[in-house]
């Protein structure tokens, strides 16, 4: 029996192990946002709130569809790529990404959608931040009040985040030459971001219980801390777009 398949399997295993062990650019480490002094750690809650605001906007589902639903027999699977701007020069990105954050961060959104009666549509999927291990799971429901007259992973190790985005969209369908369907749409979303951190250790290399061989943290102190809850962060997201469908049936 040839050993070549075994060699290929071993190489694939090493490659996968290396990929898992490597921390991506946007695998955030929140511990630098805590400053230790006198045996206690003081978290920078304002920086945590600002970071949560931008990160929530980065990973929240993007509105990329017009107002009408898919219809009772409709089903769609889509992959959408987005380029998002970041305040990469801000200290909270510089510290939590070790200075590797860029001014733009690409994301990929994978969603499945199903039309229901009457004018309802539900969907679920996930959004991935490239160069990281962050995946956010999401779902949505939409109701089209007026359909018109045309014939349906995994997250960051340091924080938990929930986003809610109620919104409205208006669109209208135009037919061109009996083969082209144009649907311009415009809308608004109020993105609500709820973020909280896990318990963090500012000095993970140190034993929590000091002794003669371990001087950190100082006696009686602690290196663990948690950020105050950031409250409800509101981001306003107007959007517009154009859907183009070309079809020929023989």
């Amino acid at each position: 029996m040839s050993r070549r398949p075994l060699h290929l399997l071993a190489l694939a295993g090493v490659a996968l192990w290396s990929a898992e062990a490597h921390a991506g650019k946007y695998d955030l480490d929140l511990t630098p946002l805590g400053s230790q002094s006198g045996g206690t750690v003081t978290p920078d809650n304002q920086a945590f709130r600002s970071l949560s605001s931008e990160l929530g906007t980065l990973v929240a589902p993007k509105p990329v569809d017009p107002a009408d639903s898919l219809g009772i027999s409709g089903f769609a699977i889509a992959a959408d790529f987005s380029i998002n701007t970041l305040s990469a020069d801000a200290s909270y990105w510089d510290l939590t990404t070790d200075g590797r954050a860029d001014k733009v961060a690409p994301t990929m959104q994978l969603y499945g959608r199903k039309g229901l009666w009457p004018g309802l549509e539900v969907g679920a999927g996930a959004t991935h931040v490239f160069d990281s291990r962050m995946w956010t799971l999401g779902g949505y429901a939409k109701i089209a009040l007026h359909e018109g007259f045309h014939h349906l992973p995994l997250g960051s190790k340091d924080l938990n985040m929930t986003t809610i985005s109620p919104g409205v969209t208006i669109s209208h369908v135009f037919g061109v030459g009996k083969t082209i369907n144009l649907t311009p749409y415009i809308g608004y979303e109020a993105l609500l971001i709820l973020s909280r951190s896990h318990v963090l250790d500012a000095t993970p290399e140190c034993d929590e219980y000091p002794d003669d061989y371990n001087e950190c943290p100082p006696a009686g102190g602690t290196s663990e801390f948690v950020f105050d809850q950031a409250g409800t962060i509101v981001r306003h997201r107007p959007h517009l777009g154009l859907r183009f469908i070309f079809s020929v049936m023989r």
Side-chain angles (χ1 to χ4, degrees):
M1 180 171 151
S2 172
R3 293 186 179 181
R4 184 174 180 81
L6 295 178
H7 291 163
L8 292 176
L9 265 171
L11 288 174
V14 171
L16 286 174
W17 181 86
S18 301
E20 290 181 358
H22 173 69
K25 182 187 301 182
Y26 295 105
D27 285 326
L28 305 180
D29 178 11
L30 299 186
T31 54
L33 298 183
S35 57
Q36 189 168 23
S37 176
T40 60
V41 179
T42 302
D44 188 343
N45 293 304
Q46 182 57 50
F48 175 68
R49 180 181 172 86
S50 298
L51 179 67
S52 297
S53 178
E54 291 203 23
L55 185 61
T57 306
L58 180 68
V59 300
K62 312 295 191 297
V64 292
D65 293 296
D68 60 343
S69 70
L70 290 171
I72 190 171
S73 61
F75 179 78
I77 297 176
D80 304 305
F81 294 86
S82 302
I83 298 296
N84 312 269
T85 58
L86 299 177
S87 302
D89 296 332
S91 61
Y92 48 85
W93 280 114
D94 186 59
L95 293 172
T96 57
T97 64
D98 197 22
R100 295 184 295 167
D102 295 325
K103 291 186 179 295
V104 294
T107 59
M108 177 180 64
Q109 178 174 283
L110 301 173
Y111 261 73
R113 301 182 293 129
K114 178 68 178 75
L116 303 171
W117 183 89
L120 296 175
E121 182 178 301
V122 295
T127 302
H128 175 57
V129 181
F130 285 98
D131 209 356
S132 81
R133 288 173 288 186
M134 279 195 293
W135 284 86
T136 59
L137 303 179
Y140 82 95
K142 179 172 70 174
I143 178 169
L145 299 177
H146 179 59
E147 290 277 21
F149 299 96
H150 58 86
H151 308 287
L152 151 218
L154 302 167
S156 172
K157 65 182 180 64
D158 286 349
L159 80 161
N160 289 332
M161 179 174 291
T162 301
T163 63
I164 304 171
S165 52
V168 293
T169 302
I170 300 173
S171 64
H172 186 71
V173 179
F174 297 93
V176 180
K178 296 183 179 181
T179 59
I180 297 176
N181 179 304
L182 295 177
T183 309
Y185 59 93
I186 187 170
Y188 165 80
E189 279 191 346
L191 176 61
L192 310 179
I193 302 168
L194 306 172
S195 180
R196 66 183 186 277
S197 74
H198 299 160
V199 177
L200 306 174
D201 188 354
T203 55
E205 72 282 356
C206 296
D207 192 341
E208 186 69 18
Y209 301 96
D211 51 35
D212 294 339
Y213 305 99
N214 181 28
E215 299 298 329
C216 57
T222 178
S223 61
E224 293 184 344
F225 69 101
V226 64
F227 291 96
D228 292 342
Q229 290 201 19
T232 303
I233 303 169
V234 181
R235 298 292 293 262
H236 304 283
R237 298 204 302 182
H239 59 270
L240 57 87
L242 175 67
R243 184 178 66 184
F244 174 88
I245 299 176
F246 175 80
S247 59
V248 174
M249 183 177 293
R250 294 182 181 275

